[in-house]
Amino acid sequence: MATICPVIDQHAEEAAFLWLSRDGAVRAPHYRLWELAKLDNRVDAHLDGLRIAGNPGWDIAKAQLEAGEGGETFVATVLAGESGDEERIQAVLELGSASEDRVRGLISGLGWVHSNEALQLARVAMNKKAPVFRRIVVAVAAIHRVNPGEELLQTLLDDPDLTVQARTAKAIGELGIVNLVSSLSAKLTVEDPACRFAAAWSIGLLNGAPGALTQLRRVVEEGSLFAPKALQLVLRRMPLADANRWLASL
């Protein structure tokens, strides 16, 4: 086994590095679908090397998880989720929730595995008290397009933690749950800008209500952190002539 450990190390390092490339690529406007698919295949090829390695593959992934960040968290999450092993799942939840970068890798890893495996891990996360785990659960449901139930979403939309509220508001739009538009509308006037934007974005996605689109236009005009995503949705909802005039005025 000593002779192949360097190979397993390389698989783990390359998978983590390529995830970082992919994480940027999925938000980059110049990447085409076939280029993303090619990058995905490269990631999965290195994950295959870790899968084939079995327990040594997991041991190396976990060791890198303990010292690493988002990419290493992604790799360990995929292996833990696919294994269904309770101890591995607990390890990635604890270590993967330690920073925002790791949380991003954790959620991405849960998006990579089959929905049944992801939801099994999400159920474990839901039993934990820290709000970051509720945010993870909502994100996993949205990524896999699994409606966790309107009652639960309403509860999370009123969660004491603002980051949970914002992620839930976004998930409602992603899941296409029009019955909760009125609940989203109540979030358009809250103080937290992330919650306001998420609510306006989901309403704009679901029914294009003028009030939400006006708020999204304001986000763009003010140059907010959320401006690029707001701009994409507003332009899809506006008549072409109006969109061209508005763009010319910016």
Side-chain angles (χ1 to χ4, degrees):
M1 181 57 68
T3 58
I4 67 168
C5 277
V7 177
I8 301 173
D9 275 325
Q10 186 174 5
H11 280 309
E13 290 169 3
E14 287 293 324
F17 172 77
L18 287 169
W19 176 83
L20 290 173
S21 299
R22 181 188 186 276
D23 189 49
V26 295
R27 298 190 302 277
H30 62 282
Y31 266 84
R32 290 169 288 184
L33 185 59
W34 70 265
E35 292 174 309
L36 291 174
K38 184 178 179 179
L39 188 52
D40 281 1
N41 288 336
R42 292 178 64 194
V43 172
D44 212 38
H46 288 290
L47 289 173
D48 270 343
L50 295 169
R51 293 173 180 124
I52 293 168
N55 289 333
W58 163 253
D59 292 339
I60 287 173
K62 184 174 183 291
Q64 293 192 6
L65 166 65
E66 292 171 351
E69 293 296 335
E72 291 77 11
T73 304
F74 165 80
V75 172
T77 301
V78 172
L79 295 180
E82 290 177 346
S83 73
D85 183 274
E86 181 72 22
E87 186 176 339
R88 294 182 183 185
I89 288 172
Q90 292 290 350
V92 296
L93 287 175
E94 292 304 322
L95 295 170
S97 59
S99 69
E100 280 303 308
D101 188 53
R102 289 189 178 197
V103 168
R104 186 168 183 83
L106 174 61
I107 292 171
S108 180
L110 291 175
W112 193 275
V113 301
H114 190 277
S115 60
N116 290 338
E117 296 161 347
L119 293 173
Q120 177 189 353
L121 203 151
R123 282 191 287 270
V124 177
M126 196 65 187
N127 292 326
K128 295 181 177 294
K129 293 183 179 180
V132 65
F133 295 111
R134 298 193 292 278
R135 178 155 54 97
I136 289 168
V137 169
V138 175
V140 171
I143 289 171
H144 286 284
R145 297 301 188 260
V146 175
N147 185 347
E150 293 180 17
E151 184 177 351
L152 176 59
L153 289 171
Q154 182 64 66
T155 299
L156 294 174
L157 193 59
D158 296 324
D159 194 272
D161 185 85
L162 292 174
T163 63
V164 176
Q165 289 187 30
R167 189 61 188 89
T168 304
K170 180 183 177 185
I172 291 170
E174 292 169 325
L175 293 169
I177 305 176
V178 294
N179 290 342
L180 291 176
V181 166
S182 60
S183 298
L184 289 174
S185 298
K187 297 294 178 182
L188 293 176
T189 56
V190 298
E191 292 186 11
D192 183 67
C195 286
R196 287 201 311 272
F197 169 73
W201 181 85
S202 283
I203 294 172
L205 191 67
L206 292 171
N207 64 14
L213 294 180
T214 298
Q215 188 146 323
L216 291 173
R217 288 179 61 173
R218 190 177 304 121
V219 167
V220 175
E221 292 162 356
E222 293 174 352
S224 160
L225 175 68
F226 309 108
K229 191 167 184 179
L231 179 63
Q232 292 172 8
L233 182 56
V234 170
L235 292 179
R236 287 159 57 189
R237 282 294 191 181
M238 291 177 70
L240 181 59
D242 293 343
N244 285 333
R245 282 194 295 271
W246 180 56
L247 282 174
S249 71
L250 293 178

